[in-house]
Amino acid sequence: MKKEAAPKTEATPKRNKDLFYKRQMQIIKKATHLFMKKGYAQTSMREIAKATGIDIRNLYYFIKNKEDILFLVFDMLHKPELELFEKQGIMDIDDPIAQLSAAIRGLLDAGGRNLDDEVLLLYRESKSLPKRLLKNILARESEVVSHIETILKKGKARKIFAVEDTSYTANLIVYQLCVYPLRHWNMKEYNREELSDLMVKHVLKMVLA
Amino acid sequence: MKKEAAPKTEATPKRNKDLFYKRQMQIIKKATHLFMKKGYAQTSMREIAKATGIDIRNLYYFIKNKEDILFLVFDMLHKPELELFEKQGIMDIDDPIAQLSAAIRGLLDAGGRNLDDEVLLLYRESKSLPKRLLKNILARESEVVSHIETILKKGKARKIFAVEDTSYTANLIVYQLCVYPLRHWNMKEYNREELSDLMVKHVLKMVLA
DNA sequence: CTGTAATTACAACGATCGTTGAATATAACG
DNA sequence: CGTTATATTCAACGATCGTTGTAATTACAG
Protein backbone atom coordinates (compact mmCIF):
# COMPACT_ATOMS: atom_id res chain seq x y z
CA MET A 1 0.00 0.00 0.00
CA LYS A 2 2.73 2.46 0.96
CA LYS A 3 6.05 1.62 -0.65
CA GLU A 4 6.72 -0.68 -3.55
CA ALA A 5 10.46 -1.04 -3.50
CA ALA A 6 12.78 -3.75 -4.71
CA PRO A 7 12.44 -7.25 -3.25
CA LYS A 8 16.01 -7.07 -2.04
CA THR A 9 16.65 -6.72 1.64
CA GLU A 10 18.10 -3.32 2.35
CA ALA A 11 21.12 -4.30 4.40
CA THR A 12 23.87 -5.90 2.37
CA PRO A 13 26.77 -6.62 4.70
CA LYS A 14 30.05 -7.03 2.93
CA ARG A 15 31.82 -9.19 5.44
CA ASN A 16 30.56 -12.18 7.32
CA LYS A 17 27.73 -12.65 4.87
CA ASP A 18 27.18 -16.15 6.17
CA LEU A 19 25.77 -15.10 9.50
CA PHE A 20 23.45 -12.56 7.95
CA TYR A 21 21.96 -15.00 5.48
CA LYS A 22 21.89 -17.68 8.12
CA ARG A 23 19.68 -15.52 10.31
CA GLN A 24 17.60 -14.61 7.27
CA MET A 25 17.10 -18.26 6.42
CA GLN A 26 16.25 -18.94 10.03
CA ILE A 27 13.50 -16.33 9.82
CA ILE A 28 12.23 -17.64 6.50
CA LYS A 29 12.02 -21.21 7.71
CA LYS A 30 10.11 -20.32 10.84
CA ALA A 31 7.86 -18.00 8.86
CA THR A 32 7.20 -20.72 6.30
CA HIS A 33 6.06 -23.03 9.03
CA LEU A 34 3.80 -20.38 10.54
CA PHE A 35 2.37 -19.30 7.18
CA MET A 36 1.57 -22.89 6.30
CA LYS A 37 -0.08 -23.53 9.62
CA LYS A 38 -2.03 -20.32 10.11
CA GLY A 39 -1.94 -18.45 6.83
CA TYR A 40 -0.02 -15.32 5.94
CA ALA A 41 -2.47 -12.67 7.08
CA GLN A 42 -3.15 -14.51 10.32
CA THR A 43 0.52 -14.66 11.25
CA SER A 44 1.83 -11.56 12.99
CA MET A 45 5.36 -10.27 12.94
CA ARG A 46 5.38 -10.70 16.70
CA GLU A 47 4.75 -14.41 16.29
CA ILE A 48 7.59 -14.72 13.84
CA ALA A 49 9.80 -12.83 16.26
CA LYS A 50 8.85 -15.11 19.11
CA ALA A 51 9.33 -18.24 17.01
CA THR A 52 12.80 -17.22 15.90
CA GLY A 53 13.81 -15.79 19.27
CA ILE A 54 14.72 -12.52 17.55
CA ASP A 55 13.27 -9.30 18.86
CA ILE A 56 10.63 -7.73 16.63
CA ARG A 57 12.62 -4.58 16.01
CA ASN A 58 15.64 -6.67 15.24
CA LEU A 59 13.70 -8.60 12.64
CA TYR A 60 13.59 -5.52 10.49
CA TYR A 61 17.36 -5.53 10.36
CA PHE A 62 17.36 -8.79 8.43
CA ILE A 63 14.21 -8.43 6.35
CA LYS A 64 12.59 -5.43 4.77
CA ASN A 65 9.00 -6.02 5.79
CA LYS A 66 6.35 -8.69 6.06
CA GLU A 67 5.72 -8.92 2.35
CA ASP A 68 9.42 -9.44 1.83
CA ILE A 69 9.29 -12.49 4.06
CA LEU A 70 6.49 -14.01 2.01
CA PHE A 71 8.41 -13.41 -1.17
CA LEU A 72 11.55 -14.99 0.26
CA VAL A 73 9.47 -17.93 1.41
CA PHE A 74 8.15 -18.53 -2.09
CA ASP A 75 11.63 -18.05 -3.46
CA MET A 76 12.95 -20.80 -1.22
CA LEU A 77 10.11 -23.20 -1.90
CA HIS A 78 10.49 -23.12 -5.65
CA LYS A 79 14.22 -23.61 -5.71
CA PRO A 80 14.25 -27.43 -5.47
CA GLU A 81 11.75 -27.74 -8.29
CA LEU A 82 13.90 -25.79 -10.68
CA GLU A 83 17.12 -27.48 -9.62
CA LEU A 84 15.50 -30.78 -10.40
CA PHE A 85 15.49 -29.96 -14.10
CA GLU A 86 18.66 -27.91 -14.25
CA LYS A 87 21.16 -29.68 -12.03
CA GLN A 88 19.84 -33.22 -12.12
CA GLY A 89 19.81 -35.12 -15.33
CA ILE A 90 16.13 -35.37 -16.04
CA MET A 91 16.21 -33.43 -19.26
CA ASP A 92 18.89 -35.80 -20.54
CA ILE A 93 16.78 -38.94 -20.33
CA ASP A 94 15.91 -40.06 -23.82
CA ASP A 95 12.86 -42.25 -23.38
CA PRO A 96 9.87 -39.91 -22.93
CA ILE A 97 8.00 -42.33 -20.69
CA ALA A 98 10.90 -42.81 -18.33
CA GLN A 99 11.59 -39.10 -18.47
CA LEU A 100 8.06 -38.08 -17.60
CA SER A 101 7.89 -40.63 -14.81
CA ALA A 102 11.16 -39.40 -13.37
CA ALA A 103 10.00 -35.80 -13.57
CA ILE A 104 6.79 -36.54 -11.73
CA ARG A 105 8.48 -38.53 -8.99
CA GLY A 106 11.20 -35.92 -8.76
CA LEU A 107 8.75 -33.06 -8.39
CA LEU A 108 6.80 -34.93 -5.77
CA ASP A 109 9.93 -35.49 -3.73
CA ALA A 110 11.43 -32.11 -4.54
CA GLY A 111 10.61 -30.37 -1.31
CA GLY A 112 10.99 -33.47 0.74
CA ARG A 113 7.99 -33.99 2.92
CA ASN A 114 7.38 -30.26 2.90
CA LEU A 115 5.86 -29.99 -0.54
CA ASP A 116 2.50 -30.90 0.86
CA ASP A 117 1.59 -27.66 2.50
CA GLU A 118 4.02 -25.52 0.59
CA VAL A 119 2.07 -25.67 -2.61
CA LEU A 120 -1.09 -24.99 -0.74
CA LEU A 121 0.59 -21.88 0.56
CA LEU A 122 1.33 -20.69 -2.93
CA TYR A 123 -2.22 -21.08 -4.14
CA ARG A 124 -3.65 -19.70 -0.95
CA GLU A 125 -1.57 -16.63 -0.40
CA SER A 126 -0.78 -15.54 -3.92
CA LYS A 127 -3.25 -12.67 -3.57
CA SER A 128 -1.27 -11.30 -0.65
CA LEU A 129 1.66 -10.53 -2.90
CA PRO A 130 1.89 -7.35 -4.94
CA LYS A 131 1.48 -8.01 -8.64
CA ARG A 132 5.12 -7.42 -9.45
CA LEU A 133 6.35 -10.05 -7.04
CA LEU A 134 3.56 -12.44 -7.89
CA LYS A 135 4.56 -12.38 -11.53
CA ASN A 136 8.11 -13.20 -10.53
CA ILE A 137 6.94 -16.21 -8.56
CA LEU A 138 4.58 -17.47 -11.22
CA ALA A 139 7.21 -17.13 -13.91
CA ARG A 140 9.30 -19.66 -12.03
CA GLU A 141 6.43 -22.07 -11.93
CA SER A 142 5.88 -21.59 -15.63
CA GLU A 143 9.41 -22.78 -16.18
CA VAL A 144 8.52 -26.10 -14.62
CA VAL A 145 5.47 -26.35 -16.85
CA SER A 146 7.64 -25.58 -19.86
CA HIS A 147 9.98 -28.43 -19.05
CA ILE A 148 7.07 -30.83 -18.83
CA GLU A 149 5.71 -29.53 -22.09
CA THR A 150 9.06 -30.13 -23.73
CA ILE A 151 8.91 -33.76 -22.67
CA LEU A 152 5.36 -34.08 -23.96
CA LYS A 153 6.27 -32.58 -27.33
CA LYS A 154 9.16 -34.98 -27.78
CA GLY A 155 6.93 -37.94 -26.93
CA LYS A 156 4.29 -36.63 -29.29
CA ALA A 157 6.80 -36.27 -32.11
CA ARG A 158 7.84 -39.88 -31.60
CA LYS A 159 4.18 -40.92 -31.62
CA ILE A 160 4.52 -42.36 -28.15
CA PHE A 161 2.28 -39.76 -26.59
CA ALA A 162 -1.07 -38.63 -27.91
CA VAL A 163 -1.90 -35.23 -26.51
CA GLU A 164 -4.03 -32.69 -28.26
CA ASP A 165 -2.80 -29.58 -26.49
CA THR A 166 0.63 -29.99 -24.92
CA SER A 167 0.41 -26.72 -23.03
CA TYR A 168 -2.88 -27.58 -21.41
CA THR A 169 -1.80 -31.09 -20.52
CA ALA A 170 1.50 -29.88 -19.08
CA ASN A 171 -0.40 -27.48 -16.87
CA LEU A 172 -2.74 -30.26 -15.85
CA ILE A 173 0.13 -32.53 -14.89
CA VAL A 174 1.89 -29.95 -12.73
CA TYR A 175 -1.47 -29.11 -11.25
CA GLN A 176 -2.17 -32.74 -10.43
CA LEU A 177 0.95 -32.95 -8.34
CA CYS A 178 -0.78 -30.73 -5.82
CA VAL A 179 -3.94 -32.78 -5.39
CA TYR A 180 -2.87 -34.12 -2.10
CA PRO A 181 -1.93 -30.88 -0.37
CA LEU A 182 -5.06 -29.20 -1.68
CA ARG A 183 -7.48 -32.01 -1.00
CA HIS A 184 -5.90 -33.76 1.93
CA TRP A 185 -9.21 -33.88 3.74
CA ASN A 186 -10.58 -36.40 1.28
CA MET A 187 -7.47 -38.43 0.65
CA LYS A 188 -6.00 -39.45 3.95
CA GLU A 189 -5.81 -43.05 2.91
CA TYR A 190 -2.72 -42.79 0.75
CA ASN A 191 0.87 -42.42 1.80
CA ARG A 192 3.47 -40.65 -0.27
CA GLU A 193 4.72 -43.68 -2.14
CA GLU A 194 1.28 -44.98 -3.04
CA LEU A 195 0.39 -41.53 -4.26
CA SER A 196 3.52 -41.35 -6.40
CA ASP A 197 2.61 -44.59 -8.09
CA LEU A 198 -1.00 -43.59 -8.61
CA MET A 199 -0.01 -40.28 -10.14
CA VAL A 200 2.50 -41.73 -12.55
CA LYS A 201 -0.04 -44.30 -13.67
CA HIS A 202 -2.76 -41.72 -14.15
CA VAL A 203 -0.58 -39.32 -16.04
CA LEU A 204 0.78 -42.02 -18.30
CA LYS A 205 -2.70 -43.27 -19.07
CA MET A 206 -3.62 -39.72 -19.89
CA VAL A 207 -0.83 -39.08 -22.36
CA LEU A 208 0.04 -42.46 -23.85
CA ALA A 209 -1.05 -43.02 -27.40
CA MET B 1 -10.90 -17.02 19.62
CA LYS B 2 -13.53 -15.81 22.02
CA LYS B 3 -16.86 -17.52 21.44
CA GLU B 4 -17.59 -20.59 19.37
CA ALA B 5 -21.34 -20.54 19.07
CA ALA B 6 -23.68 -22.05 16.51
CA PRO B 7 -23.35 -20.97 12.88
CA LYS B 8 -26.93 -19.71 12.91
CA THR B 9 -27.55 -16.00 12.85
CA GLU B 10 -28.89 -14.93 16.19
CA ALA B 11 -31.91 -12.95 15.07
CA THR B 12 -34.75 -15.09 13.73
CA PRO B 13 -37.59 -12.77 12.83
CA LYS B 14 -40.96 -14.50 12.70
CA ARG B 15 -42.72 -12.18 10.36
CA ASN B 16 -41.47 -10.64 7.16
CA LYS B 17 -38.73 -13.18 6.84
CA ASP B 18 -38.25 -12.27 3.22
CA LEU B 19 -36.77 -8.88 3.88
CA PHE B 20 -34.39 -10.23 6.50
CA TYR B 21 -33.00 -12.95 4.27
CA LYS B 22 -32.97 -10.57 1.35
CA ARG B 23 -30.67 -8.23 3.25
CA GLN B 24 -28.61 -11.20 4.40
CA MET B 25 -28.22 -12.39 0.84
CA GLN B 26 -27.32 -8.87 -0.19
CA ILE B 27 -24.51 -8.89 2.36
CA ILE B 28 -23.32 -12.33 1.34
CA LYS B 29 -23.16 -11.45 -2.33
CA LYS B 30 -21.19 -8.28 -1.77
CA ALA B 31 -18.92 -10.08 0.68
CA THR B 32 -18.35 -12.88 -1.82
CA HIS B 33 -17.22 -10.40 -4.39
CA LEU B 34 -14.89 -8.69 -1.95
CA PHE B 35 -13.49 -11.95 -0.59
CA MET B 36 -12.78 -13.19 -4.11
CA LYS B 37 -11.10 -9.96 -5.08
CA LYS B 38 -9.07 -9.20 -1.98
CA GLY B 39 -9.16 -12.29 0.19
CA TYR B 40 -11.02 -12.86 3.43
CA ALA B 41 -8.50 -11.52 5.91
CA GLN B 42 -7.79 -8.48 3.78
CA THR B 43 -11.45 -7.51 3.63
CA SER B 44 -12.69 -5.48 6.57
CA MET B 45 -16.18 -5.35 7.95
CA ARG B 46 -16.18 -1.66 7.19
CA GLU B 47 -15.63 -2.39 3.50
CA ILE B 48 -18.52 -4.82 3.49
CA ALA B 49 -20.64 -2.21 5.20
CA LYS B 50 -19.73 0.41 2.66
CA ALA B 51 -20.32 -1.96 -0.25
CA THR B 52 -23.79 -2.92 0.96
CA GLY B 53 -24.71 0.55 2.11
CA ILE B 54 -25.56 -0.85 5.53
CA ASP B 55 -24.03 0.73 8.59
CA ILE B 56 -21.36 -1.38 10.27
CA ARG B 57 -23.25 -1.71 13.50
CA ASN B 58 -26.37 -2.72 11.66
CA LEU B 59 -24.49 -5.43 9.85
CA TYR B 60 -24.36 -7.30 13.11
CA TYR B 61 -28.11 -7.38 13.17
CA PHE B 62 -28.19 -9.57 10.09
CA ILE B 63 -25.08 -11.64 10.58
CA LYS B 64 -23.39 -12.95 13.68
CA ASN B 65 -19.80 -12.03 12.91
CA LYS B 66 -17.22 -12.02 10.15
CA GLU B 67 -16.65 -15.76 10.25
CA ASP B 68 -20.37 -16.27 9.88
CA ILE B 69 -20.28 -14.34 6.64
CA LEU B 70 -17.54 -16.55 5.25
CA PHE B 71 -19.51 -19.63 6.20
CA LEU B 72 -22.66 -18.31 4.55
CA VAL B 73 -20.62 -17.47 1.45
CA PHE B 74 -19.37 -21.04 1.16
CA ASP B 75 -22.85 -22.29 1.86
CA MET B 76 -24.20 -20.30 -1.05
CA LEU B 77 -21.42 -21.25 -3.45
CA HIS B 78 -21.85 -24.98 -2.99
CA LYS B 79 -25.61 -25.04 -3.39
CA PRO B 80 -25.71 -25.18 -7.21
CA GLU B 81 -23.25 -28.06 -7.27
CA LEU B 82 -25.41 -30.20 -5.04
CA GLU B 83 -28.65 -29.27 -6.77
CA LEU B 84 -27.09 -30.43 -9.99
CA PHE B 85 -27.14 -34.02 -8.78
CA GLU B 86 -30.28 -33.87 -6.67
CA LYS B 87 -32.76 -31.82 -8.63
CA GLN B 88 -31.50 -32.33 -12.14
CA GLY B 89 -31.59 -35.76 -13.69
CA ILE B 90 -27.91 -36.53 -13.92
CA MET B 91 -28.00 -39.51 -11.63
CA ASP B 92 -30.76 -41.00 -13.76
CA ILE B 93 -28.70 -41.18 -16.94
CA ASP B 94 -27.91 -44.80 -17.67
CA ASP B 95 -24.91 -44.67 -19.97
CA PRO B 96 -21.85 -44.01 -17.75
CA ILE B 97 -20.00 -42.10 -20.43
CA ALA B 98 -22.88 -39.74 -21.14
CA GLN B 99 -23.50 -39.46 -17.41
CA LEU B 100 -19.92 -38.55 -16.57
CA SER B 101 -19.76 -36.07 -19.41
CA ALA B 102 -22.98 -34.43 -18.29
CA ALA B 103 -21.75 -34.26 -14.70
CA ILE B 104 -18.52 -32.57 -15.71
CA ARG B 105 -20.20 -30.04 -17.96
CA GLY B 106 -22.86 -29.45 -15.34
CA LEU B 107 -20.35 -28.82 -12.59
CA LEU B 108 -18.38 -26.48 -14.78
CA ASP B 109 -21.49 -24.42 -15.50
CA ALA B 110 -22.92 -24.82 -12.01
CA GLY B 111 -22.00 -21.46 -10.67
CA GLY B 112 -22.40 -19.76 -13.98
CA ARG B 113 -19.41 -17.64 -14.72
CA ASN B 114 -18.76 -17.30 -11.01
CA LEU B 115 -17.26 -20.72 -10.40
CA ASP B 116 -13.91 -19.47 -11.51
CA ASP B 117 -12.95 -17.47 -8.49
CA GLU B 118 -15.34 -19.14 -6.13
CA VAL B 119 -13.42 -22.36 -5.99
CA LEU B 120 -10.22 -20.46 -5.55
CA LEU B 121 -11.83 -18.84 -2.57
CA LEU B 122 -12.61 -22.19 -1.02
CA TYR B 123 -9.08 -23.49 -1.35
CA ARG B 124 -7.57 -20.22 -0.32
CA GLU B 125 -9.59 -19.33 2.70
CA SER B 126 -10.42 -22.70 4.16
CA LYS B 127 -7.88 -22.12 6.92
CA SER B 128 -9.76 -19.04 8.04
CA LEU B 129 -12.73 -21.16 9.10
CA PRO B 130 -12.90 -22.84 12.48
CA LYS B 131 -12.59 -26.59 12.22
CA ARG B 132 -16.22 -27.24 12.96
CA LEU B 133 -17.47 -25.10 10.11
CA LEU B 134 -14.74 -26.26 7.77
CA LYS B 135 -15.83 -29.85 8.23
CA ASN B 136 -19.37 -28.87 7.39
CA ILE B 137 -18.24 -27.23 4.15
CA LEU B 138 -15.96 -30.05 3.14
CA ALA B 139 -18.64 -32.63 3.82
CA ARG B 140 -20.73 -30.99 1.12
CA GLU B 141 -17.89 -31.19 -1.33
CA SER B 142 -17.41 -34.83 -0.45
CA GLU B 143 -20.98 -35.43 -1.52
CA VAL B 144 -20.11 -34.24 -5.00
CA VAL B 145 -17.11 -36.55 -5.04
CA SER B 146 -19.30 -39.42 -3.91
CA HIS B 147 -21.68 -38.88 -6.78
CA ILE B 148 -18.81 -38.97 -9.24
CA GLU B 149 -17.48 -42.10 -7.60
CA THR B 150 -20.89 -43.73 -7.96
CA ILE B 151 -20.78 -43.08 -11.68
CA LEU B 152 -17.26 -44.47 -11.90
CA LYS B 153 -18.19 -47.63 -10.03
CA LYS B 154 -21.14 -48.29 -12.31
CA GLY B 155 -18.96 -47.83 -15.38
CA LYS B 156 -16.34 -50.06 -13.87
CA ALA B 157 -18.89 -52.79 -13.15
CA ARG B 158 -19.99 -52.66 -16.77
CA LYS B 159 -16.35 -52.88 -17.86
CA ILE B 160 -16.66 -49.57 -19.68
CA PHE B 161 -14.35 -47.77 -17.30
CA ALA B 162 -10.99 -49.04 -16.10
CA VAL B 163 -10.08 -47.28 -12.89
CA GLU B 164 -7.93 -48.77 -10.20
CA ASP B 165 -9.06 -46.65 -7.29
CA THR B 166 -12.47 -45.06 -7.82
CA SER B 167 -12.17 -42.83 -4.78
CA TYR B 168 -8.86 -41.37 -5.88
CA THR B 169 -9.99 -40.86 -9.45
CA ALA B 170 -13.23 -39.23 -8.35
CA ASN B 171 -11.24 -36.81 -6.26
CA LEU B 172 -8.94 -36.15 -9.17
CA ILE B 173 -11.84 -35.39 -11.48
CA VAL B 174 -13.50 -32.93 -9.14
CA TYR B 175 -10.12 -31.42 -8.53
CA GLN B 176 -9.45 -31.02 -12.23
CA LEU B 177 -12.55 -28.90 -12.62
CA CYS B 178 -10.74 -26.18 -10.71
CA VAL B 179 -7.61 -26.05 -12.85
CA TYR B 180 -8.64 -22.90 -14.53
CA PRO B 181 -9.51 -20.81 -11.50
CA LEU B 182 -6.37 -21.97 -9.73
CA ARG B 183 -3.98 -21.66 -12.63
CA HIS B 184 -5.53 -18.89 -14.65
CA TRP B 185 -2.19 -17.19 -15.02
CA ASN B 186 -0.92 -19.93 -17.28
CA MET B 187 -4.09 -20.75 -19.19
CA LYS B 188 -5.52 -17.57 -20.55
CA GLU B 189 -5.79 -19.00 -24.01
CA TYR B 190 -8.94 -21.05 -23.47
CA ASN B 191 -12.52 -19.91 -23.15
CA ARG B 192 -15.12 -21.73 -21.11
CA GLU B 193 -16.44 -23.89 -23.89
CA GLU B 194 -13.05 -25.01 -25.16
CA LEU B 195 -12.10 -25.84 -21.60
CA SER B 196 -15.26 -27.90 -21.13
CA ASP B 197 -14.44 -29.96 -24.18
CA LEU B 198 -10.82 -30.43 -23.19
CA MET B 199 -11.77 -31.57 -19.72
CA VAL B 200 -14.35 -34.05 -20.84
CA LYS B 201 -11.88 -35.50 -23.32
CA HIS B 202 -9.11 -35.74 -20.74
CA VAL B 203 -11.30 -37.31 -18.10
CA LEU B 204 -12.74 -39.84 -20.50
CA LYS B 205 -9.31 -40.79 -21.73
CA MET B 206 -8.33 -41.23 -18.12
CA VAL B 207 -11.15 -43.56 -17.15
CA LEU B 208 -12.11 -45.40 -20.32
CA ALA B 209 -11.13 -49.03 -20.51
C1' DC C 1 -55.66 4.07 17.20
C1' DT C 2 -52.75 1.34 20.05
C1' DG C 3 -49.23 -1.74 21.14
C1' DT C 4 -45.74 -4.76 19.59
C1' DA C 5 -42.12 -6.44 16.79
C1' DA C 6 -38.72 -5.41 13.15
C1' DT C 7 -35.44 -2.39 11.48
C1' DT C 8 -32.39 1.61 11.38
C1' DA C 9 -29.60 5.39 13.30
C1' DC C 10 -25.84 6.47 15.91
C1' DA C 11 -20.25 6.39 18.58
C1' DA C 12 -16.79 4.35 21.16
C1' DC C 13 -14.20 0.29 23.09
C1' DG C 14 -10.03 -2.45 23.78
C1' DA C 15 -6.91 -5.06 21.17
C1' DT C 16 -3.66 -5.89 17.84
C1' DC C 17 -1.50 -4.78 13.77
C1' DG C 18 3.14 -3.37 10.98
C1' DT C 19 6.63 -0.38 11.48
C1' DT C 20 10.37 2.88 13.09
C1' DG C 21 15.31 5.19 15.58
C1' DA C 22 18.89 5.62 18.64
C1' DA C 23 22.09 3.95 21.82
C1' DT C 24 25.04 0.08 23.08
C1' DA C 25 27.70 -4.16 22.55
C1' DT C 26 30.28 -7.40 19.80
C1' DA C 27 33.49 -8.94 16.31
C1' DA C 28 36.90 -8.02 12.57
C1' DC C 29 40.38 -5.37 10.67
C1' DG C 30 44.71 -2.30 10.35
C1' DC D 1 44.99 -1.22 20.77
C1' DG D 2 41.86 1.62 18.27
C1' DT D 3 38.74 2.01 14.45
C1' DT D 4 35.17 0.46 11.84
C1' DA D 5 31.46 -2.38 10.47
C1' DT D 6 28.09 -5.51 12.13
C1' DA D 7 24.69 -7.12 15.38
C1' DT D 8 21.74 -6.63 19.35
C1' DT D 9 19.17 -4.23 22.89
C1' DC D 10 15.26 -1.49 24.06
C1' DA D 11 9.74 1.36 23.73
C1' DA D 12 6.33 3.75 21.44
C1' DC D 13 3.76 5.35 17.24
C1' DG D 14 -0.48 5.88 14.50
C1' DA D 15 -3.70 3.12 12.18
C1' DT D 16 -7.02 -0.21 11.71
C1' DC D 17 -9.21 -4.10 13.19
C1' DG D 18 -13.86 -6.71 14.95
C1' DT D 19 -17.27 -5.91 17.96
C1' DT D 20 -20.90 -4.02 21.19
C1' DG D 21 -25.60 -1.29 23.27
C1' DT D 22 -29.32 1.81 23.20
C1' DA D 23 -32.62 4.90 21.61
C1' DA D 24 -35.47 6.42 17.78
C1' DT D 25 -38.21 4.91 13.83
C1' DT D 26 -40.97 2.17 10.89
C1' DA D 27 -44.33 -1.55 9.72
C1' DC D 28 -47.78 -4.54 11.03
C1' DA D 29 -51.48 -6.77 14.21
C1' DG D 30 -55.43 -6.39 16.97
Side-chain angles (χ1 to χ4, degrees):
Chain A
M1 295 290 183
K2 293 124 200 180
K3 317 173 202 168
E4 195 176 343
K8 219 179 115 203
T9 45
E10 61 172 34
T12 44
K14 285 130 201 172
R15 130 188 119 191
N16 213 7
K17 283 191 176 183
D18 300 334
L19 183 59
F20 183 83
Y21 287 117
K22 195 177 176 182
R23 283 248 185 285
Q24 198 164 264
M25 190 59 73
Q26 173 189 0
I27 295 171
I28 296 172
K29 280 187 178 172
K30 289 286 185 185
T32 304
H33 187 245
L34 285 170
F35 290 168
M36 291 188 316
K37 198 172 122 195
K38 308 186 51 186
Y40 171 75
Q42 290 77 22
T43 302
S44 71
M45 293 295 280
R46 286 166 175 83
E47 286 177 281
I48 298 176
K50 190 158 284 183
T52 54
I54 303 175
D55 188 90
I56 315 173
R57 310 189 267 296
N58 234 353
L59 224 60
Y60 284 84
Y61 177 75
F62 297 101
I63 54 93
K64 218 179 55 180
N65 50 30
K66 198 184 177 188
E67 252 172 19
D68 193 33
I69 298 185
L70 184 57
F71 176 79
L72 291 173
V73 165
F74 283 144
D75 200 59
M76 187 189 83
L77 297 188
H78 274 304
K79 231 167 220 169
E81 297 183 4
L82 287 176
E83 284 183 353
L84 177 72
F85 289 100
E86 291 164 2
K87 298 197 176 176
Q88 296 184 234
I90 287 202
M91 293 316 284
D92 302 329
I93 302 176
D94 184 62
D95 176 38
I97 296 178
Q99 193 179 23
L100 188 57
S101 304
I104 292 171
R105 290 185 191 279
L107 283 175
L108 280 176
D109 295 340
R113 62 175 51 141
N114 296 329
L115 188 76
D116 268 13
D117 309 76
E118 290 175 356
V119 180
L120 175 58
L121 184 66
L122 173 61
Y123 284 113
R124 229 179 46 205
E125 312 289 1
S126 53
K127 291 232 169 177
S128 297
L129 276 171
K131 285 190 180 179
R132 183 179 302 268
L133 302 190
L134 181 59
K135 281 198 175 179
N136 189 320
I137 297 287
L138 297 184
R140 285 172 167 246
E141 227 233 356
S142 295
E143 278 189 58
V144 175
V145 176
S146 291
H147 280 128
I148 298 286
E149 192 179 356
T150 303
I151 301 177
L152 290 181
K153 278 181 178 166
K154 186 176 70 177
K156 191 178 176 183
R158 297 193 192 171
K159 314 234 174 195
I160 298 175
F161 293 159
V163 285
E164 221 176 280
D165 187 327
T166 52
S167 167
Y168 174 83
T169 306
N171 264 287
L172 210 60
I173 291 175
V174 172
Y175 176 67
Q176 278 196 22
L177 302 182
C178 315
V179 203
Y180 191 77
L182 280 169
R183 298 185 61 86
H184 55 94
W185 64 78
N186 247 343
M187 321 180 59
K188 288 212 168 176
E189 339 166 22
Y190 316 98
N191 63 35
R192 179 166 302 272
E193 203 163 334
E194 288 172 339
L195 211 64
S196 261
D197 291 341
L198 268 171
M199 279 190 180
V200 171
K201 277 182 193 171
H202 261 95
V203 170
L204 284 182
K205 184 166 188 190
M206 191 184 254
V207 300
L208 278 177
Chain B
M1 294 290 182
K2 294 122 199 179
K3 316 175 203 167
E4 196 175 342
K8 223 180 112 201
T9 45
E10 61 172 34
T12 44
K14 285 131 201 172
R15 129 187 118 190
N16 212 5
K17 283 189 174 183
D18 300 333
L19 183 60
F20 183 84
Y21 287 118
K22 195 175 175 181
R23 283 245 185 288
Q24 198 165 266
M25 189 58 73
Q26 175 189 1
I27 295 171
I28 296 171
K29 279 187 178 171
K30 290 287 186 184
T32 304
H33 186 246
L34 285 170
F35 289 168
M36 290 188 316
K37 197 172 122 194
K38 310 186 50 186
Y40 171 76
Q42 289 78 22
T43 302
S44 70
M45 293 294 280
R46 286 167 175 83
E47 286 178 279
I48 299 176
K50 190 157 284 182
T52 54
I54 303 175
D55 188 272
I56 316 171
R57 310 189 266 299
N58 275 340
L59 265 184
Y60 286 84
Y61 177 75
F62 297 101
I63 54 92
K64 218 178 56 180
N65 50 30
K66 198 185 177 188
E67 255 173 16
D68 193 33
I69 299 185
L70 184 57
F71 176 79
L72 291 173
V73 165
F74 282 146
D75 199 61
M76 188 190 82
L77 297 188
H78 273 304
K79 231 167 219 167
E81 296 183 4
L82 288 176
E83 283 182 353
L84 177 72
F85 290 101
E86 290 163 3
K87 297 197 177 177
Q88 297 184 233
I90 286 201
M91 292 315 283
D92 303 328
I93 301 176
D94 184 62
D95 176 38
I97 297 179
Q99 193 180 22
L100 188 58
S101 304
I104 292 171
R105 290 184 192 279
L107 283 174
L108 280 176
D109 295 340
R113 62 175 53 143
N114 297 328
L115 187 77
D116 267 14
D117 309 76
E118 292 175 355
V119 179
L120 175 58
L121 184 65
L122 172 61
Y123 284 112
R124 230 178 46 205
E125 311 290 0
S126 54
K127 291 231 169 178
S128 297
L129 277 171
K131 285 189 180 178
R132 183 179 301 267
L133 302 189
L134 181 61
K135 282 198 174 180
N136 188 322
I137 297 289
L138 297 183
R140 287 171 165 247
E141 227 233 357
S142 296
E143 278 189 57
V144 175
V145 177
S146 291
H147 280 128
I148 299 285
E149 191 180 357
T150 303
I151 301 177
L152 289 181
K153 278 181 178 167
K154 186 176 70 177
K156 191 178 177 183
R158 297 193 192 171
K159 314 233 174 197
I160 297 175
F161 294 160
V163 286
E164 222 176 278
D165 187 327
T166 52
S167 166
Y168 175 82
T169 306
N171 264 289
L172 210 62
I173 292 175
V174 172
Y175 176 67
Q176 277 196 22
L177 303 183
C178 314
V179 203
Y180 191 77
L182 280 169
R183 298 186 61 85
H184 55 95
W185 63 78
N186 246 343
M187 319 179 62
K188 286 214 170 177
E189 338 166 22
Y190 316 99
N191 63 34
R192 180 167 300 275
E193 204 163 334
E194 289 172 339
L195 211 65
S196 260
D197 292 341
L198 269 171
M199 279 189 181
V200 171
K201 277 183 192 170
H202 261 95
V203 170
L204 284 182
K205 184 165 189 190
M206 191 185 254
V207 300
L208 278 177

